[in-house]
């Protein structure tokens, strides 16, 4: 419940991005927005942190919302 909701068009580096990776619409994954339409996230246990575009087909579909917590 912490933070302020941020629209996708107003994302700033450091904002938290929430996604539904199982298609349920419930938040199942979190990432950190780093600017220029990219985020960093840990895909799953045993994988390295990745830099990915929030506009690729997978993450665009999974996007639920974002918050700014400062």
């Amino acid at each position: 419940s912490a933070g302020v909701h941020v629209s996708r068009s107003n994302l700033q580096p450091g904002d938290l991005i929430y996604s539904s990776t199982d298609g349920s619409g419930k938040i199942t994954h979190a990432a950190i927005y780093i600017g220029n339409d990219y985020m960093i996230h840990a895909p799953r246990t045993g994988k390295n942190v990745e830099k990915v575009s929030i506009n690729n087909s997978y993450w665009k579909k999974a996007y639920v919302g974002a918050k700014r917590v400062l």
Side-chain angles (χ1 to χ4, degrees), residues 7-68:
S7 68
R8 189 179 175 109
S9 62
N10 287 319
L11 287 169
Q12 294 180 3
D15 289 343
L16 300 178
I17 295 175
Y18 300 103
S19 303
S20 178
T21 56
D22 65 3
S24 69
K26 295 180 182 180
I27 295 168
T28 58
H29 193 73
I32 302 169
Y33 184 71
I34 59 171
N36 298 319
D37 294 332
Y38 280 88
M39 66 181 191
I40 54 172
H41 76 117
R44 61 185 169 277
T45 302
K47 290 288 193 173
N48 292 327
V49 171
E50 297 177 336
K51 174 184 170 183
V52 295
S53 172
I54 64 171
N55 292 320
N56 76 29
S57 59
Y58 180 81
W59 292 111
K60 197 170 194 174
K61 181 179 175 183
Y63 185 88
V64 174
K67 280 194 164 184
R68 186 165 300 141

